[in-house]
């Protein structure tokens, strides 16, 4: 199952992917053979450099050596573990107890999810739309008019949209307001194009599209907006207190999505699009808490870890765990089962 991570500025996407990889490593250690994380050596090196930069209270440079777009990483969920996530997704306490009781053989069938990163900018979307229009004029298939790298985006089973929360505003005179509305239209249009592409390419076997939305920089959202949807101004504390009440978290965040990205949700709630089934959207948040440096510049916040020896970043850790669990759930639904990977890739937390 392929996952496309779309949108977000370069630095924002870099931070999101780095925190996701770091959380996945911890998750793999905690769950042992039930969950596995794999990455190429090149990707591992880049992630290590980014996390080191963040822990030194420095934001990663906008331009890194190499591009994250070139890299991929994989999550592997044991079939039994995926089944548990699917059944007990909203019951964290029961899930934890079940994990402790399980005895799963080291070699077992796994649901494998491949993550690819696609920086789909506005001009790329324009290219897709022009290709679709040109295909219509020529009576050709839109598939024939697209480049291979854009086809890779449209062929993903899961589309993860990164939404910059700092651009969310209720002030219709603010330039960000139009940007927010435009991005709503972009996400909706892209989902329509993906459905059309998959319908033409696969016909009745087009499968299901899983749209996922992640609000990055969620700590920048106006406190009045948070209060209006029932989220505490202290987001970090609220998520920690509610970490076992995943259903409530999901409902609050979906309520946030409904207020500002209705066009996109309208398509998702339609159930099917051009004969292609859409899964009900899941919404997550991401943030890396900042603090002021001695020069008064916002930098990543670092605190002593519970062990009193190492240091941790202050970020939406519980949301990343929820994100990983959700992918275990949908991996089981799609049922694209592979044996344990034997390709020569470097895995952390195996």
């Amino acid at each position: 199952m392929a996952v496309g991570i779309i949108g977000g500025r370069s630095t924002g996407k870099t931070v999101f992917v780095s925190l996701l990889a770091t959380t996945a490593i911890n998750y793999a250690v905690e769950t042992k053979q039930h969950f596995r994380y794999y990455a190429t050596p090149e990707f591992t090196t880049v992630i290590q450099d980014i996390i080191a930069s963040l822990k030194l209270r420095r934001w990663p440079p906008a331009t890194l050596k190499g591009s994250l777009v070139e890299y991929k990483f994989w999550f592997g969920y044991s079939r039994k573990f995926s089944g548990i996530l699917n059944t007990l997704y909203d019951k964290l306490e029961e899930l934890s107890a079940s994990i402790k009781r399980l005895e799963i053989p080291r070699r077992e069938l796994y649901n494998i999810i491949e993550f690819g990163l696609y920086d789909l900018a506005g001009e790329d979307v324009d290219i897709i739309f022009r290709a679709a229009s040109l295909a219509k004029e020529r009576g050709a298939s839109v598939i024939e008019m697209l480049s291979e790298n854009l086809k890779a985006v449209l062929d993903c089973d899961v589309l993860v949209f990164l939404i910059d929360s700092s651009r969310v505003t209720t002030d219709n005179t603010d330039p960000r307001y139009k940007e927010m509305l435009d991005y709503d239209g972009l996400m909706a249009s892209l989902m329509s194009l993906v459905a059309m592409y998959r319908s033409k390419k696969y016909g009745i076997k087009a499968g299901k599209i899983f749209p996922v939305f992640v609000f990055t920089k969620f700590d920048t959202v106006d406190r009045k907006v948070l209060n209006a949807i029932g989220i505490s101004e202290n987001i970090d504390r609220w998520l920690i207190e509610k970490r076992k009440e995943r259903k409530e978290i999901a409902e609050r965040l979906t309520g946030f999505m409904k207020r500002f990205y209705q066009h996109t949700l309208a398509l998702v709630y339609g159930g099917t699009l051009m004969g292609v089934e859409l899964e009900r959207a899941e919404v997550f948040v991401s943030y890396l808490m900042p603090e002021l440096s001695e020069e008064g510049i916002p930098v990543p916040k670092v605190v002593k870890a519970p062990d009193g020896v190492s240091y941790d970043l202050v970020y939406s850790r519980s949301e990343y765990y929820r994100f990983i669990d959700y992918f275990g759930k949908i991996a089981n639904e799609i049922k694209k089962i592979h044996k344990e990977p034997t390709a020569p890739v470097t895995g952390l937390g195996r």
Side-chain angles (χ1 to χ4, degrees):
M1 177 174 68
V3 179
I5 302 178
I6 300 167
R9 294 181 176 181
S10 297
T11 303
K13 182 178 295 180
T14 297
V15 170
F16 170 78
V17 173
S18 300
L19 294 178
L20 177 60
T22 297
T23 310
I25 292 169
N26 294 333
Y27 195 98
V29 172
E30 292 174 8
T31 61
K32 298 181 180 178
Q33 66 265 37
H34 308 308
F35 170 80
R36 295 188 178 183
Y37 164 76
Y38 301 87
T40 61
E42 296 80 9
F43 180 80
T44 298
T45 299
V46 170
I47 293 300
Q48 286 178 332
D49 289 344
I50 294 171
I51 293 299
S53 176
L54 294 173
K55 287 191 173 183
L56 291 172
R57 303 175 75 227
R58 296 197 298 259
W59 298 107
T63 305
L64 297 168
K65 184 179 180 181
S67 170
L68 280 177
V69 178
E70 300 170 2
Y71 305 133
K72 296 180 185 297
F73 58 98
W74 297 264
F75 288 174
Y77 300 85
S78 70
R79 292 183 62 183
K80 291 183 180 180
F81 187 45
S82 293
I84 293 171
L85 290 172
N86 194 34
T87 305
L88 306 176
Y89 181 56
D90 294 321
K91 300 178 181 178
L92 186 59
E93 306 88 348
E94 295 180 35
L95 173 60
S96 299
S98 298
I99 292 174
K100 293 177 181 178
R101 289 196 303 269
L102 278 177
E103 291 292 338
I104 298 181
R106 181 170 293 276
R107 294 192 59 82
E108 175 160 352
L109 292 179
Y110 279 73
N111 294 330
I112 305 300
I113 298 180
E114 176 184 290
F115 284 82
L117 285 72
Y118 303 98
D119 193 1
L120 202 65
E123 54 268 27
D124 296 318
V125 177
D126 290 339
I127 291 173
I128 294 176
F129 288 136
R130 286 199 298 272
S133 299
L134 190 60
K136 185 176 181 181
E137 291 175 8
R138 297 181 178 180
S141 168
V142 66
I143 300 175
E144 300 171 3
M145 309 301 294
L146 295 176
S147 63
E148 291 303 314
N149 63 319
L150 290 178
K151 286 181 183 178
V153 180
L154 301 183
D155 215 14
C156 289
D157 300 294
V158 185
L159 296 177
V160 178
F161 292 93
L162 301 185
I163 307 172
D164 188 344
S165 298
S166 66
R167 295 171 179 257
V168 173
T169 178
T170 56
D171 181 2
N172 60 7
T173 64
D174 189 320
R176 295 177 300 163
Y177 189 77
K178 183 178 184 304
E179 294 178 1
M180 182 178 69
L181 297 178
D182 288 345
Y183 196 64
D184 184 20
L186 185 152
M187 289 190 293
S189 298
L190 184 58
M191 277 196 288
S192 295
L193 279 171
V194 171
M196 178 176 68
Y197 172 86
R198 292 175 71 93
S199 179
K200 287 181 177 293
K201 183 175 180 180
Y202 301 108
I204 60 174
K205 296 182 179 180
K208 183 187 290 188
I209 299 173
F210 294 79
V212 178
F213 305 100
V214 180
F215 284 95
T216 61
K217 303 179 186 176
F218 200 68
D219 56 300
T220 63
V221 176
D222 189 286
R223 296 320 186 229
K224 292 181 180 178
V225 173
L226 293 178
N227 291 334
I229 59 175
I231 296 179
S232 169
E233 294 182 13
N234 189 327
I235 304 168
D236 207 44
R237 180 182 297 175
W238 184 79
L239 284 175
I240 292 173
E241 291 176 348
K242 299 290 184 181
R243 64 185 182 278
K244 293 183 179 181
E245 301 173 32
R246 296 189 170 193
K247 186 175 182 180
E248 181 179 345
I249 292 176
E251 289 175 349
R252 298 295 185 191
L253 296 180
T254 300
F256 182 80
M257 185 92 185
K258 285 179 180 178
R259 287 176 180 265
F260 300 103
Y261 296 94
Q262 293 182 345
H263 190 175
T264 300
L265 276 188
L267 288 184
V268 176
Y269 287 170
T272 56
L273 188 63
M274 300 178 187
V276 179
E277 187 177 356
L278 289 172
E279 175 71 0
R280 181 64 63 93
E282 196 72 21
V283 186
F284 302 87
V285 300
S286 169
Y287 58 80
L288 177 58
M289 283 294 188
E291 63 182 355
L292 295 180
S293 66
E294 294 179 358
E295 294 77 23
I297 301 173
V299 296
K301 185 176 182 179
V302 180
V303 297
K304 271 285 184 70
D307 60 19
V309 178
S310 57
Y311 289 87
D312 285 339
L313 294 166
V314 181
Y315 71 101
S316 52
R317 189 185 305 270
S318 62
E319 277 292 276
Y320 280 88
Y321 277 104
R322 194 166 69 91
F323 185 91
I324 293 171
D325 281 351
Y326 174 70
F327 275 80
K329 171 181 178 290
I330 62 177
N332 191 64
E333 286 187 37
I334 293 178
K335 296 188 181 303
K336 288 191 174 181
I337 313 299
H338 301 270
K339 286 190 175 181
E340 180 179 352
T342 55
V345 298
T346 299
L348 299 182
R350 285 189 66 173

